[in-house]
C-alpha cells in the first residue's frame, strides 16, 4: 500500500442522485462563532442547502468519521443553487452572511444559533435577509469592497448574455454589458487595482476597472440600465491572450508574496500579475479539474493545490511539484464538453491545520489531509529450518494443477443466445399518433402539422444492473427527441421505463421505418454486453392521404393469384378524402414533398398499380403494399397466395437515379480540386503581398490587392457550392437507396426467389448508400496506397463477382480472381453489368450458397436445386425454377463493339441492350388498363421521362461547375486594362509572372 494518499479525516455523501458543480462548495465561519471553526456549506442543483460542522474524534481504529449531529442545517430552496459564498453582505452588520445564487434570484441569508438546555446542543436557523430578482438568467457572481469601501462587500452578478449587475448590498447600483460577450466565463474581483477580471469567449483574460464600469452609461433611469443591450462605452484596462478555455480563476493577495492572478486552463496554469503581465506558466501532462492557491512558508512563493481527473491531488510551489497524493473520491465523466470534478477548499480546525475539503459531481464530500500513516506492525522473524526439496516439488505440482484448472474456467465461451442477456427491452408502439404533435425543430414546410409518435420502452433485468445506457437510432429523415438515455441502476422487481418520440425532420426520400434500440451495460461477470431491439414505426408517421393523380411518369404493376382486395380495407389508417369510396384508387403524399403516389386496384384482374412522378418515392408504398397483402391473406389462411411481377424491369428509371448520384459525387471531386487550386492561388498572392509590404523600398502592388479580393470571393463561392452539393448528395443517396430497394424487390418477385437468394441479391445491390459518397477507405501505410470507393465501385465489383461465379456463362468466363477496387470514370460498365445480371437471371440462372465447388471444374450436367456460388449454370434446365421469358426493359444503348476479354458482353438476342420507344405500338412493354375490365390502354399519352438530375440538384447550374465562381472582372474595383495586361497567373496560383 502506498503511503502517498489523501488520508480521510471525515466524509459523507450529500443527498441522493443530486448534481454539483463548481460554485456549489464554500467553507467559512458562517455562524460567526466566537470560538472560530469553519463550516462546510454545500448547495445542489436540486435546490438543497446543507451546512456541516465536522467533529470527528480519534479512536483506536482511526477517526470516527461522519455523525448525524455534524449536520448544522438543511433546507430546501425554491430554485436550483448555482453558487454559495460567505461575506459581509448586510449593511447593518459586520458579521458573515451567506449569499446564494439562483438562476433568476440572488438571496442573502443569516445563520443564527441558539444554545440548548443541558446537553441538547445548539439549534441553528437560517433566515432571509434580503433578495434581488434578476431579469436575466444568471451564471455566477463575485464580491468584494468595490470602489474601496470599508468593511463591506458589494456583489457583481454575471448573466448568461454577458451582462453584469452590481448591487451595493441591499440596493441596486447599475448594469453593464461587456463588449463582444458570447459565453460567460469565470470572474473575480482584484482589490488592489479595484477591477474585475474575467475570461471571455475569445479565450482572453480581460480586466475592467470598477470606476470605468460605473460611469459608462447612457441610461437615465434604472429600467433603462437593466434593459441595456450594448457596451460601446466600456473599455478594457488590459487583455491577455490565453489560447485555451479557462476552467477557473483565482486572485491571491497573501502576505509576503506578490499579488497574482491564477488562471487554470485545460492544459496549462497561467500566473499573471494584477496588471496583466505573464509571470510564469506551467504545462500539465494530465487534465486538471479544479485548483485552489494557498500561502506558502517560503517567502515570495505561493502554493497551489490542483485536482486531476485521475483522483490525484497535486501540490505545487509556484511551478514546482512538491507532493502528489491519491484521493478516495470516485471521479466519473458525464459530459465531455463540460469538465467537472473535485471542488477543493482548505479548512483550518483546531485539531488539524490545513484540511482539504473535496466534493465531486455525485455528492461525495470528504475532508482529508496530506501525510502518511505508517504501519506499526512488524512481522515476526521466520524460524530457520532446513529446506525439503521433495516437499517443495510436490507443492509446486499442486499449485500448477490449481492454476491450470482456474485458467480453463476463465476461458468460458462467449454467450450467444438472448437467454444469457441480463436485461430485456420491450417496445410498445401505440396505434395512434400523438395529439398534439411533439415534433420540434423540424426542417419541413407543410400545410399540415408534422406528426409524431411516442414509443414506450420497458427495460427488465434478471439481476441488479448498473449504468445502463440506452441509445436510439432513427434512420433519416426520422429524428428522435432523446437519442441517449441513462439508467443508474435497474432492479429485477422494478423495470426501467421511459418514452421516446419519433417524428419526421428532413425533406429527403424515406427508405425505411425501422429504428434501432441499443442497450449497453456491464454484466455481473464484468463483461461489456450490448442488446439490440428493433422498433417498427407506422407508415402514417411520414405519409398523409391526398387525392389520387390520374397520370404519372413512373408506373409499377404487380400481379397476385387472389381476387383484389378493397384498398379501404387494406389501408384503413391512411384513409383521407376518399374514405367511404369504391376503394380502387388512393393517393398518398409525403410530408413536405410534392410528388403524389397513386395506388390503383383493378376491378376485373388481380393486379395493383403504383404510379408517381418520382421513381424513388414508389419504394415506401410498394413495400407497404406487399407486406399488407401478405398479412391480409395470411390471416385468411391462404397458404398458396403469391405475388409476382411480370412486367418489364424499370432499369432505365433506376439508372437515371444512379447517374444523378454519381454526378453529385463527381461534382464533389471537381469542387474539391477547384477549391484546392484557389486556395493555392490565395496563399501565393499572400506571400507576394507580404514580400512587398516588408520591402524597405516598396514597389507598386500591380493590382495584387485586387487579385487577392477576387480570389477570396471565389473561395467563398466555391464553399457555398460545396455545401449545396453536399445537400444534393444527401438527397440523391436517399433516392438511390429507395430505388435500389424497388429494383431488388421487383427482381425477387419476378424470379420468385427464396430468402437465401434475396439475401445474396441485396448484398450485391446493397440499399445502404452512404450520404457522403464514400463508403470504403483503406490505407496501406507500408505501400503508401490509398483506396477510396463509393457505392458504385462496390456494387460494380459485387455484380462482376456474381457474373464470373454462379452466373458465369461457361467455364471460360468463370474466375475467382477479384477485380481491383478503383474509382469509376462513368457508370456505363456498371449499368451494363446490372443489365447482364438481370438477363442471366431471366434465362434461368439461380443464386445459391450451398455445395461449393471449384470454378475451374464446372459441371455440365443438369444443376441441382441449390447450385454452388462458383458453379456454371445450365440455362433452361433448372426444373425448380418457373420458366420465364427474358424481360424487355428501357435501357441506354450499349456499345455494339466487342468488349475486352476481361468483361462480360451482352448476350445475343437479349432485350436489355435496346431502348424502348414510349410512342411505339402496343407490345409487351405496355401495361394493360386497370379500369372497367378494359384490357388495353393508349400509352401515347404518357409524358416523357423527367430529368432526375435537375430535380435533385436544382441549385447546380447546367453550364458547368467552373461558372459557380465569379469572374475577376465582376469585382467592385476592377483593374485597369494596362495593369491587367502586365499580370498573369500560372499553374493555379503557384507561380506569378509579371511584365509578360
Amino acid at each position: 500500500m502506498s503511503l502517498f494518499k489523501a488520508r480521510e479525516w471525515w466524509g459523507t455523501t450529500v443527498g441522493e442522485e443530486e448534481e454539483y458543480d463548481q460554485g456549489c462548495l464554500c467553507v467559512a465561519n458562517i455562524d460567526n462563532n466566537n470560538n472560530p471553526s469553519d463550516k462546510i456549506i454545500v448547495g445542489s442543483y436540486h435546490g438543497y442547502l446543507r451546512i456541516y460542522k465536522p467533529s470527528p474524534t480519534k479512536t483506536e481504529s482511526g477517526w470516527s468519521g461522519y455523525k448525524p449531529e455534524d449536520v448544522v442545517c438543511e433546507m430546501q430552496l425554491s430554485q436550483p443553487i448555482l453558487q454559495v459564498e460567505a461575506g459581509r453582505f448586510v449593511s447593518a452588520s459586520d458579521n458573515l452572511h451567506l449569499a446564494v445564487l439562483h438562476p433568476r434570484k440572488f438571496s442573502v441569508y443569516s445563520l443564527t444559533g441558539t444554545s440548548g438546555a443541558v446537553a441538547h446542543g445548539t439549534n441553528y436557523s437560517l433566515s432571509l435577509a434580503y433578495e434581488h430578482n434578476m431579469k436575466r438568467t444568471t451564471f455566477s457572481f463575485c464580491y468584494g469592497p468595490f470602489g474601496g469601501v470599508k468593511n463591506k462587500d458589494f456583489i457583481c452578478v454575471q448573466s448568461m448574455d454577458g451582462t453584469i449587475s452590481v448591487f451595493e448590498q441591499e440596493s441596486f447600483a447599475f448594469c453593464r454589458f461587456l463588449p463582444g460577450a458570447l459565453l460567460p466565463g469565470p470572474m473575480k474581483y482584484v482589490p488592489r487595482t479595484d477591477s474585475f477580471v474575467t475570461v471571455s469567449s475569445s479565450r482572453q483574460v480581460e480586466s475592467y476597472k470598477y470606476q470605468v464600469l460605473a460611469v459608462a452609461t447612457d441610461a437615465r433611469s434604472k429600467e433603462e440600465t437593466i434593459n441595456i443591450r450594448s457596451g460601446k462605452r466600456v473599455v478594457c484596462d488590459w487583455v491577455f491572450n490565453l489560447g485555451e478555455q479557462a476552467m477557473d480563476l483565482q486572485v491571491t493577495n497573501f502576505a509576503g508574496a506578490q499579488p497574482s492572478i491564477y488562471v487554470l486552463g485545460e492544459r496549462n496554469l497561467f500566473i499573471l500579475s494584477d496588471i496583466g503581465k505573464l509571470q510564469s506558466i506551467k504545462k500539465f501532462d494530465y487534465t486538471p479539474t479544479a485548483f485552489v492557491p494557498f500561502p506558502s512558508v517560503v517567502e515570495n512563493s505561493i502554493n497551489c493545490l490542483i485536482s486531476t481527473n485521475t483522483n490525484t491531488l497535486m501540490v505545487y510551489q509556484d511551478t514546482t511539484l512538491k507532493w502528489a497524493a491519491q484521493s478516495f473520491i470516485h471521479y466519473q465523466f458525464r459530459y465531455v464538453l463540460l469538465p467537472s470534478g473535485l471542488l477543493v477548499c482548505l479548512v483550518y480546525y483546531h485539531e488539524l491545520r490545513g484540511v482539504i475539503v473535496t466534493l465531486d459531481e455525485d455528492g461525495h464530500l470528504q475532508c482529508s489531509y496530506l501525510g502518511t500513516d505508517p504501519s506499526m506492525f512488524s512481522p515476526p522473524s521466520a524460524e530457520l529450518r532446513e529446506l525439503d526439496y521433495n516437499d517443495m516439488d510436490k507443492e509446486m505440482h499442486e499449485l500448477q494443477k490449481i492454476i491450470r484448472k482456474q485458467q480453463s474456467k476463465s476461458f468460458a465461451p462467449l454467450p450467444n443466445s438472448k437467454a444469457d442477456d441480463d436485461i430485456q427491452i420491450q417496445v410498445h408502439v401505440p396505434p395512434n399518433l400523438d395529439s398534439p404533435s411533439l415534433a420540434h425543430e423540424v426542417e419541413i414546410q407543410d400545410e399540415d402539422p408534422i406528426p409524431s409518435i411516442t414509443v414506450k420502452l420497458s427495460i427488465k433485468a434478471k439481476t441488479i444492473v448498473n449504468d445502463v445506457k440506452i441509445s436510439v437510432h432513427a434512420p433519416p429523415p426520422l429524428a428522435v427527441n432523446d437519442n441517449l438515455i441513462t439508467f443508474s441502476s435497474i432492479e429485477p422487481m422494478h423495470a426501467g421505463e421511459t418514452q421516446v418520440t419519433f417524428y419526421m425532420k428532413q425533406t429527403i426520400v424515406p427508405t425505411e421505418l425501422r429504428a434501432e434500440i441499443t442497450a449497453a451495460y456491464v454484466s455481473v461477470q464484468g463483461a461489456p454486453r450490448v442488446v439490440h431491439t428493433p422498433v417498427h414505426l407506422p407508415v402514417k408517421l411520414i405519409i398523409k392521404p391526398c387525392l389520387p393523380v390520374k397520370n404519372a411518369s413512373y408506373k409499377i404493376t404487380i400481379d397476385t393469384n387472389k381476387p383484389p382486395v378493397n384498398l379501404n380495407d387494406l389501408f384503413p389508417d391512411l384513409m383521407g378524402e376518399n374514405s367511404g369510396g369504391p376503394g380502387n384508387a388512393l393517393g398518398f403524399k409525403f410530408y413536405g414533398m410534392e410528388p403524389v403516389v397513386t395506388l390503383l386496384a383493378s376491378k376485373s384482374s388481380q393486379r395493383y398499380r403504383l404510379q408517381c412522378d418520382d421513381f424513388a418515392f414508389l419504394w415506401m408504398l410498394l413495400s407497404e403494399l406487399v407486406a399488407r397483402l401478405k398479412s391480409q391473406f395470411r390471416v385468411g389462411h391462404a397458404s398458396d397466395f403469391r405475388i409476382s411481377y411480370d412486367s418489364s424491369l424499370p432499369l432505365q428509371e433506376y439508372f437515371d437515379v444512379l447517374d444523378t448520384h454519381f454526378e453529385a459525387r463527381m461534382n464533389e471531386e471537381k469542387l474539391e480540386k477547384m477549391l484546392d487550386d484557389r486556395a493555392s492561388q490565395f496563399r501565393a498572392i499572400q506571400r507576394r503581398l507580404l514580400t512587398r509590404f516588408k520591402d524597405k523600398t516598396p514597389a507598386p502592388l500591380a493590382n495584387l490587392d485586387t487579385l487577392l479580393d477576387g480570389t477570396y470571393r471565389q473561395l467563398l463561392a466555391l464553399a457555398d457550392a460545396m455545401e449545396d452539393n453536399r445537400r444534393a448528395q444527401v438527397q440523391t443517396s436517399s433516392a438511390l437507396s429507395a430505388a435500389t430497394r424497388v429494383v431488388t424487390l421487383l427482381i425477387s418477385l419476378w424470379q420468385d426467389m427464396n430468402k437465401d437468394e434475396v439475401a445474396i441479391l441485396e448484398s450485391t445491390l446493397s440499399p445502404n448508400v452512404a450520404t457522403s459518397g464514400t463508403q470504403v477507405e483503406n490505407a496501406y501505410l507500408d505501400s503508401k496506397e490509398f483506396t477510396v470507393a463509393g457505392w458504385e465501385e462496390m456494387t460494380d465489383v459485387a455484380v462482376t463477382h456474381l457474373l464470373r461465379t454462379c452466373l458465369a456463362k461457361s467455364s471460360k468466363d468463370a474466375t475467382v480472381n477479384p477485380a481491383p477496387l478503383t474509382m469509376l470514370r462513368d457508370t456505363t460498365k456498371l449499368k451494363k453489368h446490372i443489365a447482364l445480371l438481370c438477363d442471366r437471371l431471366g434465362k434461368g440462372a439461380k443464386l445459391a450458397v450451398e455445395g461449393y465447388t471449384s470454378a475451374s471444374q464446372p459441371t455440365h450436367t443438369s444443376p441441382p436445386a441449390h447450385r454452388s456460388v462458383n458453379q456454371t449454370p445450365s440455362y433452361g434446365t433448372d426444373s425448380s425454377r418457373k420458366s420465364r421469358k427474358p424481360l424487355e426493359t428501357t435501357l441506354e444503348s450499349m456499345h455494339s463493339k466487342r468488349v475486352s476479354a476481361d468483361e462480360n458482353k451482352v448476350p445475343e438476342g437479349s432485350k436489355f441492350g435496346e431502348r424502348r420507344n414510349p410512342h411505339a405500338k402496343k407490345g409487351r412493354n405496355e401495361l394493360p388498363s386497370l379500369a372497367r375490365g378494359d384490357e388495353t390502354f393508349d400509352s401515347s399519352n404518357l409524358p416523357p421521362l423527367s430529368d432526375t438530375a435537375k430535380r435533385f440538384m436544382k441549385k447546380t447550374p447546367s453550364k458547368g461547375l467552373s461558372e459557380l465562381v465569379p469572374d475577376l472582372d465582376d469585382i467592385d474595383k476592377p483593374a485597369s486594362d494596362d495593369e491587367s495586361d502586365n499580370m498573369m497567373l500560372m499553374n493555379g496560383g503557384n507561380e506569378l509572372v509579371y511584365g509578360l
Side-chain angles (χ1 to χ4, degrees), residues 741-781:
R741 294 175 188 270
V742 172
V743 172
T744 53
L745 178 60
L746 294 181
I747 293 176
S748 64
L749 296 177
W750 167 45
Q751 289 295 310
D752 193 17
M753 294 183 175
N754 54 31
K755 293 182 179 180
D756 295 336
E757 294 174 309
V758 171
I760 296 176
L761 181 63
E762 290 181 350
S763 63
T764 305
L765 296 176
S766 175
N768 301 321
V769 184
T771 57
S772 62
T774 301
Q775 297 189 213
V776 178
E777 295 184 0
N778 296 326
Y780 303 95
L781 300 180

Side-chain angles (χ1 to χ4, degrees), residues 146-148 174 193-196 208-216:
F146 303 163
F174 58 85
T193 59
D194 192 21
S195 58
F196 298 101
Y208 297 91
K209 289 284 188 181
Y210 174 74
Q211 296 298 333
V212 175
L213 295 174
V215 299

